[in-house]
Amino acid sequence: EEGKKSTLGWSGAVGQDRANIKRHMSFLGDVDWQWWATDNFAIGGEGIYRQINNTRVTAGSTKNGKYFGALLNLHYDFSDVWDGTLKYAWAHDVNGITSPGLSGLGTDVGVTNVFGGGPQSLTGADQMFHEITVAGNYMITDGAKLKLEGGYTLINPTGPANKQHVFGAGGAFAYEF
């Protein structure tokens, strides 16, 4: 059926994070997939790894910014007009900005980061995220869809920082023409 094909994808990138520095390349890799187990039920997922290589030496350390992430989607078409998705996402910023050698305000020796700082991390701290989201869509008419989503995120920092619990909701109206 059109729009319900199983997919598998790989992507990657490599390059410089600093102007005029020909070493210390940063890179990422990503894999994503979706499998339609039945005409109404799909399982999908994604995994990513990103490393931002550091060229600085701060306090004798040259740690790189690293993070991992993963996503799992369970999608079900209840009818021709209703569908829903249960999502779980996880991310881990391994070093964060708190690690020696990862200063968000620093510069390389004689070279300023294009964005005005040192190596960038995903979140700015060594921490993990766990997120659960429930989403539903209602097809109002051909080409018009109402989308609603609600979620919960647990932010779990490494060290003495407190865990954070974040709740959210969102909605959208989409129209194809």
Side-chain angles (χ1 to χ4, degrees), residues 52-68:
I52 304 167
N53 281 329
N54 189 3
T55 58
R56 298 182 46 140
V57 177
T58 302
S61 178
T62 57
K63 288 190 176 185
N64 295 320
K66 299 178 186 178
Y67 57 86
F68 301 88

Side-chain angles (χ1 to χ4, degrees), residues 75-94:
H75 177 85
Y76 192 80
D77 290 335
F78 297 103
S79 69
D80 290 343
V81 295
W82 285 99
D83 68 71
T85 303
L86 176 64
K87 304 176 193 179
Y88 171 74
W90 168 83
H92 182 194
D93 190 343
V94 178

Side-chain angles (χ1 to χ4, degrees), residues 111-144:
V111 179
T112 302
N113 182 309
V114 174
F115 300 105
Q120 305 298 307
S121 68
L122 179 64
T123 65
D126 183 356
Q127 57 190 346
M128 282 195 215
F129 288 75
H130 299 273
E131 181 176 284
I132 296 175
T133 305
V134 176
N137 295 317
Y138 175 68
M139 185 68 72
I140 298 168
T141 185
D142 284 346

Side-chain angles (χ1 to χ4, degrees), residues 31-42:
V31 60
D32 63 87
W33 54 275
Q34 181 159 302
W35 173 55
W36 282 92
T38 69
D39 286 342
N40 293 340
F41 179 67

